[in-house]
Amino acid sequence: MQNRSAVFLFAVVLSFFAAEIHALSDAEIRALKLTPQKELCFVGQEVVFTLELPDIDPSLARAEVPDFSRDSVARFVSARKSEIYGAEGETGTKFDFQISFSSAGTISLPPLSVYIKRRFYAIPFEKVTVYENPATIQPQVSVVFQDNLLQRVRKSSATIPVSVGETIRFTLYIRYCVQMLHFSWNLPKNAIFIETKRYDIARGEAQPKSFSPELVPVAQFTWTPLVAGEYDFPQFAIEATAYNGTRAKPATPAYRFSVNPSAVSGRGQNTPAGGHNQNSQSESLFTSAFQPAQPSADTESAALASESVAGAVSSDEMLALCKRLAALRSAERNALPFSRACSERKAFEAGQGIYAPNEPNKPLPLTLLAAAVFFALLAISFFLFRHRRTMFLFACIAMLFLGGSIWGYARLSARYAIFCGGEVSPVPEEGVSSTMVDGGVRIKMVETAGDWVYITGETCSGWVKTSALQEIK
């Protein structure tokens, strides 16, 4: 009996030492990680993390349920332990943990508690980058500046300091986009703005429909401010198709630039908006900038296309067309809404393939003001007769009509015209590198400087000669 007890005790001790001998080494422990089974992980979709323990029998391995209570981003879904076999038939263990994420970003999960051969180990999860679900994500636009421009920003200021005549080079990028349907921009004021390179996506070529987080270059630009002051970063009008097939208009990142006088241009001799430079040194600084730029292949093709369109209509015919458009819109402006003048203008523009917003009406705010006065008088009369509820009702109606009248007069304060076509310049100067724009476009007149007018529209913005405009009166 004593011999059997001794044999049994010896077997227990032997098995204990055998387990210790076959325990995992430090190098093996450091190599263990729970790795995701998908290259791309998305919000709301379940991701399987796998831990494999070769040569470890399933009876000798146990894992606790992950606890993500401190991290609301991750949620444990389910776990599974299975048996695996090596190349030589040896038995191993595999753990699969299903986890979902509620927000995007690079996420680090707390380590998993695993017991292997009666020993405790903290096995880390591999870091995972979670992206927004392609079914809901929208295209995003970003800007990359060359020459480490953003490093100039000081903590005390949100503006980027540059000098007059300094060329700002940047590249426009987009991601989460299948196809760009529209790409244009407004010409920055008092500056030379040139597109130096355009990529395939900006020409409307479709991208692979499979999800990719990579930034896709759209176009490269140079922007040279010519007048000191503070300016916003140029805004781009982009319409793109998302992965879910919807159309989106991603916004351009907002930057603010503080353009300081150049040391070459002297002190206090900057060109005012709409004026001419008073300093000969400043003129010499921008002589090279005022030379016509050598067009790239994209610019040449665009210029040829513009010439072919403009060539179909003579200058006299274009002038007559613009005068007719201005006359119809002037008649619409002086008529009541939904009048015959509005219908005639729409029919004429539709025949020319032109579609533009309606004109604000001069009689409308005056009519609304008269209605506001009428209801105000009624409110006063009911107040005198101490009918407070009726007085309050008519006073509210009078305020509504007054608000509509103010809104109508605010719309009328803006000046509009029909652009007859020609050169659109970044500064009110002749001989500057300009952009050719076709005529027949309704534009807004923003500022006047001598014979020059600064205009803005859907297809162009910049300085033009007054003779190139037919004002809508």
Side-chain angles (χ1 to χ4, degrees):
M1 189 68 175
Q2 292 180 351
N3 292 335
R4 291 182 179 179
S5 300
V7 171
F8 177 75
L9 181 61
F10 177 76
V12 171
V13 173
L14 183 63
S15 63
F16 175 79
F17 280 104
E20 291 297 320
I21 293 172
H22 290 89
L24 297 177
S25 64
D26 292 340
E28 291 174 325
I29 292 299
R30 286 194 297 268
L32 292 177
K33 279 187 180 180
L34 285 102
T35 58
Q37 299 305 298
K38 291 183 179 180
E39 293 184 4
L40 297 173
C41 305
F42 303 105
V43 172
Q45 294 184 359
E46 296 175 355
V47 182
V48 176
F49 287 81
T50 298
L51 172 64
E52 292 190 356
L53 303 173
D55 301 329
I56 303 297
D57 190 89
S59 62
L60 300 177
R62 178 174 62 87
E64 293 185 353
V65 175
D67 182 15
F68 301 138
S69 57
R70 297 181 181 179
D71 189 358
S72 59
V73 174
R75 182 177 66 88
F76 170 73
V77 179
S78 64
R80 178 188 176 189
K81 183 171 75 169
S82 58
E83 190 176 22
I84 57 175
Y85 299 95
E88 299 180 359
E90 64 275 14
T91 303
T93 305
K94 184 176 76 168
F95 291 99
D96 291 324
F97 295 91
Q98 235 174 0
I99 300 170
S100 66
F101 299 92
S102 58
S103 64
T106 301
I107 300 173
S108 298
L109 298 173
L112 178 71
S113 298
V114 181
Y115 294 89
I116 305 174
K117 295 181 179 180
R118 297 188 300 274
R119 281 194 173 187
F120 167 78
Y121 300 97
I123 309 299
F125 282 84
E126 190 174 300
K127 283 186 178 180
V128 60
T129 301
V130 181
Y131 300 97
E132 294 289 346
N133 196 315
T136 60
I137 198 169
Q138 296 295 308
Q140 298 176 1
V141 174
S142 59
V143 177
V144 175
F145 294 96
Q146 279 72 43
D147 305 324
N148 298 322
L149 195 65
L150 294 181
Q151 293 183 1
R152 305 182 188 180
V153 181
R154 300 176 180 176
K155 293 182 179 180
S156 59
S157 175
T159 60
I160 303 174
V162 295
S163 301
V164 169
E166 180 181 354
T167 299
I168 302 167
R169 298 175 176 84
F170 65 91
T171 304
L172 198 70
Y173 289 88
I174 193 170
R175 64 176 177 175
Y176 309 140
C177 169
V178 175
Q179 187 176 18
M180 287 183 62
L181 306 175
H182 176 76
F183 177 51
S184 64
W185 59 90
N186 289 332
L187 195 65
K189 193 175 180 181
N190 299 328
I192 296 176
F193 192 76
I194 301 173
E195 180 187 19
T196 58
K197 185 176 182 179
R198 178 171 291 202
Y199 294 88
D200 292 340
I201 191 171
R203 301 186 183 98
E205 294 190 11
Q207 302 297 301
K209 292 186 178 181
S210 56
F211 178 86
S212 173
E214 300 298 326
L215 292 171
V216 180
V218 177
Q220 294 180 0
F221 296 88
T222 60
W223 175 28
T224 308
L226 303 181
V227 178
E230 290 202 355
Y231 300 92
D232 290 322
F233 184 73
Q235 292 298 299
F236 293 84
I238 297 175
E239 186 174 2
T241 305
Y243 286 112
N244 59 6
T246 60
R247 293 188 177 187
K249 295 181 179 180
T252 311
Y255 294 100
R256 185 76 172 171
F257 287 81
S258 177
V259 181
N260 303 311
S262 173
V264 181
S265 62
R267 298 180 180 178
Q269 299 295 330
N270 302 306
T271 306
H276 298 273
N277 201 324
Q278 304 290 328
N279 195 303
S280 59
Q281 291 180 347
S282 177
E283 290 177 1
S284 63
L285 175 65
F286 303 126
T287 300
S288 60
F290 285 166
Q291 298 299 324
Q294 296 297 326
S296 62
D298 294 333
T299 309
E300 290 177 356
S301 60
L304 291 174
S306 177
E307 289 176 3
S308 63
V309 173
V313 180
S314 66
S315 58
D316 293 338
E317 290 175 342
M318 178 58 69
L319 180 60
L321 173 64
C322 293
K323 286 184 177 180
R324 177 61 175 163
L325 289 173
L328 289 172
R329 286 191 166 270
S330 297
E332 180 185 359
R333 178 177 279 246
N334 291 277
L336 287 172
F338 310 107
S339 63
R340 184 178 179 182
C342 180
S343 302
E344 290 180 356
R345 189 268 305 170
K346 288 183 176 179
F348 181 78
E349 288 186 344
Q352 302 294 327
I354 300 173
Y355 301 94
N358 296 336
E359 286 295 324
N361 305 104
K362 289 182 178 179
L364 179 61
L366 182 60
T367 304
L368 294 176
L369 180 61
V373 172
F374 173 74
F375 282 103
L377 292 175
L378 285 178
I380 293 172
S381 63
F382 281 106
F383 174 77
L384 295 176
F385 286 104
R386 297 183 180 180
H387 294 284
R388 299 295 177 87
R389 292 183 178 179
T390 309
M391 178 274 298
F392 181 75
L393 174 62
F394 283 114
C396 291
I397 296 175
M399 292 298 294
L400 289 175
F401 279 112
L402 179 61
S405 177
I406 295 173
W407 171 77
Y409 278 116
R411 291 189 65 199
L412 288 172
S413 63
R415 298 172 60 194
Y416 292 91
I418 303 298
F419 180 46
C420 299
E423 294 185 355
V424 178
S425 173
V427 291
E429 297 276 356
E430 292 187 2
V432 182
S433 178
S434 306
T435 303
M436 295 296 297
V437 178
D438 293 336
V441 182
R442 178 181 180 266
I443 53 85
K444 182 179 180 181
M445 303 169 65
V446 178
E447 183 181 350
T448 303
D451 295 335
W452 293 86
V453 178
Y454 189 83
I455 64 171
T456 59
E458 292 185 358
T459 58
C460 64
S461 62
W463 293 94
V464 299
K465 284 294 189 70
T466 308
S467 56
L469 301 175
Q470 294 294 322
E471 188 172 358
I472 302 170
K473 300 180 180 179

